[in-house]
Each structure stands twice: as structure tokens, then as C-alpha cells.
Amino acid sequence: MALFENLSLQKKGSILYIIINRPTKLNALTHRTIEEIREAMQQVYDDNNIKGVVITGAGEKAFVAGADISEFTELGEVSSRKFAEIGQEVFSMIENCPKPVIAAVNGFALGGGCELAMACHIRVAVANAQFGQPEVNLGLIPGYGGTQRLAQLVGKGKALELIMTADRISAEEARGLGLVNHVVAGPDELLRKSEEILTKIISKAPVAIEMVINCVNAVYNKEEDGYQTEANSFSICCKSEDFKEGVKAFLEKRPAHFQGR
Ligand code: COA
């Protein structure tokens, strides 16, 4: 496995942990960190032994406290557009990953950290985590997909309020808004709950899981007819060995053994 400066990768069975590892800077995302996330996600796409991913932050204080503000002084008009596009591209890799990705939010998820969590398929958070998009405090707006994904998750009115006020909200409030799926008491429960959800998903037919991710993402893709995507994906599932096995196992009253093809 490649050596990373700002990430630590840990394999636990078929689950890959991607840990953003700059705890002294509250795991703030530098340009390099974004590129390292790209590389780690490419491994997830390529490695058949990885069936699911947990993204979390090192330490107990922060998931990710945003993009690294110390790099902002270098941003000009052209480079800032590139900055946003690169982040959007890498976070889209997470969102469109054919394998389930869970954000285990262990503390501050601010700015790019909230955006990173939102790019994941499911979010589990510790009770003392805090979420927010504080970019307007810096004269900025979210640039890694936050304006789009926050509105998708919590609705237009609340997204506008959160982004325009820069308010920080608790994990419980985020759960009430639909931004977080589950809130747990502490770090041990965080990993346990994330693994429990992933293990359940991984036990299902991988082809079907990939199609579910495609179809639900299609809701938000203006160039795609989601119903067409669903019908196509349904027929892809019907051609799979997993489908034959799932039906056979049901009729034979035994657990299915899916191969992911
Ligand atoms: N970029 C760069 N460095 C950051 C950072 C960020 N987004 N967030 C935190 N850090 C650094 C701090 O500069 C500090 O570094 P130092 O010890 O070398 O001075 C270290 O992480 C610890 O942060 P600190 O501010 O001392 O912790 P705190 O508990 O007092 O406050 C926060 C925590 C999250 C409230 C505060 O760090 C903060 O507001 N961060 C910025 C959040 C933000 O605006 N994110 C969006 C960016 S677009």
C-alpha cells in the first residue's frame, strides 16, 4: 500500500479505513491531502478485496476542520477555480464509488470536512461532533460541492440558512435535519456502528449495491433520467450471477453466497 503523508490507511477484513491524519491541524485538508484521498479512492475502485470504506479523522477532536486556510493566500482567480474543481472531482469519486463509503465523524466537520462527510454514502457521528459551513466568515463559499450536497440532504431553506449564517450545529441537530444517519456516544461506538452498517451492506449482492448507489445518485444528475437508470440497472442485476444465487438461496431456504458478478 502506498505511503501517504496526511492519510493513514488501515485494512480490517474487507473494510478499508481511510484516516485523515493531521491531528495537530485538526486534519485540515491541504492540496496534497486531497490528492492522497484521490489515490486512496483509486485503490478502493481497483482492489477487489476492498468491499467497503470508512473515512474518519485522526484524534478525538476533529473529523476535518475544513480546507487548510494557510494555503488560501496562494489562491488567484484561475487557481481558485482549479482548487474547487479538483476537490469536487475527488469528492465525486467518493460519491460515485461502487462500494459503500461511510463517514465516521469523530469531531469537527467544518467547511471541507462537512463536504467530505456529505460526499460519503452514510454518516455516523459522535454526539460531540459539530457540523457547519463557515466559509462566509472568510469571504468565501463552500467549493467542494457543499452548496449542492447540503441542499440535497437538508433541503434548500435550511441549507441556505446554514451556509449564510455559518452556524455550527450539533450531531443531534444534524441528525434531525437528515445530514447525519446515526449519532453514537463516543469513538468506540462510532467505529462499531460504522462497521456494523458496512458489514450488513457487504453481505448483500455487490452488483445490486453498486446499482443502488448509481440509481440514487441519478436523482441529482440533471443529465440523467433516473427512471431510465433504474430500469437499466434493474436489468443489469437480473443478468448477474448474484441474482441467480439470491433467488436460488431463497428457494432452497439457505443464506446466499454472493460473488459480486
Ligand atoms: N486550516 C488550517 N489550519 C487549521 C484549520 C483550517 N481549516 N482549522 C484548524 N486549524 C489549525 C489551527 O490553526 C491550529 O493550528 P496551530 O496550533 O498551529 O495554531 C490548530 O489547527 C488547532 O486549532 P485551534 O483553532 O487552536 O483549535 P480550537 O479548538 O481553538 O478551535 C475550530 C477549533 C475548529 C473552531 C477552529 O480551529 C476553526 O474555526 N477552524 C477553522 C474552521 C473553518 O473555517 N473551516 C473552513 C475553512 S474554508
Side-chain angles (χ1 to χ4, degrees):
M1 205 163 267
L3 272 181
F4 294 101
E5 193 174 280
N6 299 326
L7 298 186
S8 138
L9 300 196
Q10 289 173 18
K11 191 98 186 296
K12 193 168 170 195
S14 54
I15 296 174
L16 181 72
Y17 272 86
I18 299 178
I19 303 161
I20 317 294
N21 192 19
R22 273 183 91 217
T24 56
K25 296 290 178 186
L26 304 189
N27 304 321
L29 301 172
T30 59
H31 176 66
R32 183 180 173 124
T33 316
I34 293 286
E35 287 304 332
E36 290 185 353
I37 295 173
R38 186 202 299 276
E39 202 178 322
M41 285 310 298
Q42 194 57 55
Q43 288 185 23
V44 174
Y45 275 68
D46 295 343
D47 185 344
N48 289 335
N49 295 317
I50 299 171
K51 311 278 188 210
V53 180
V54 174
I55 299 183
T56 193
E60 292 205 354
K61 196 167 169 185
F63 173 69
V64 166
D68 191 311
I69 299 168
S70 68
E71 290 187 342
F72 284 7
T73 50
E74 296 153 25
L75 290 179
E77 193 180 329
V78 176
S79 59
S80 54
R81 173 181 284 273
K82 197 81 199 137
F83 169 93
E85 285 170 353
I86 289 171
Q88 288 179 3
E89 205 176 279
V90 172
F91 286 12
S92 286
M93 267 181 99
I94 298 172
E95 182 169 57
N96 295 309
C97 180
K99 304 166 188 181
V101 184
I102 295 192
V105 181
N106 55 309
F108 289 116
L110 302 176
C114 188
E115 292 173 296
L116 175 61
M118 290 193 291
C120 297
H121 301 131
I122 291 171
R123 284 150 292 285
V124 182
V126 288
N128 66 357
Q130 288 187 34
F131 293 78
Q133 297 288 164
E135 288 87 350
V136 293
N137 289 333
L138 302 168
L140 273 179
I141 64 166
Y144 290 168
T147 59
Q148 306 303 293
R149 292 196 183 96
L150 189 61
Q152 289 163 9
L153 284 166
V154 308
K156 182 178 169 185
K158 203 66 202 177
L160 282 168
E161 182 185 337
L162 285 171
I163 297 171
M164 292 197 294
T165 60
D167 278 350
R168 293 211 296 254
I169 57 171
S170 69
E172 195 49 54
E173 207 176 338
R175 194 185 62 79
L177 292 173
L179 176 55
V180 159
N181 297 62
H182 298 277
V183 178
V184 295
D188 291 345
E189 291 91 337
L190 180 68
L191 301 189
R192 203 175 314 126
K193 184 71 185 173
S194 302
E195 284 177 19
E196 179 193 310
I197 298 170
L198 265 188
T199 305
K200 190 183 277 185
I201 298 172
I202 288 168
S203 75
K204 315 296 180 197
V207 176
I209 296 302
E210 179 178 347
M211 294 303 125
V212 168
I213 294 168
N214 272 346
C215 290
V216 176
N217 282 342
V219 174
Y220 306 102
N221 183 344
K222 292 182 188 75
E223 271 119 58
E224 215 172 330
D225 175 350
Y227 289 97
Q228 278 296 324
T229 303
E230 185 182 89
N232 292 340
S233 304
F234 187 84
S235 98
I236 290 171
C237 287
C238 286
K239 280 189 290 191
S240 71
E241 291 298 320
D242 284 353
F243 169 63
K244 290 190 192 100
E245 164 63 6
V247 173
K248 196 160 176 272
F250 178 83
L251 296 174
E252 292 171 2
K253 300 189 187 304
R254 60 168 176 84
H257 302 292
F258 296 117
Q259 305 292 326
R261 55 194 158 84

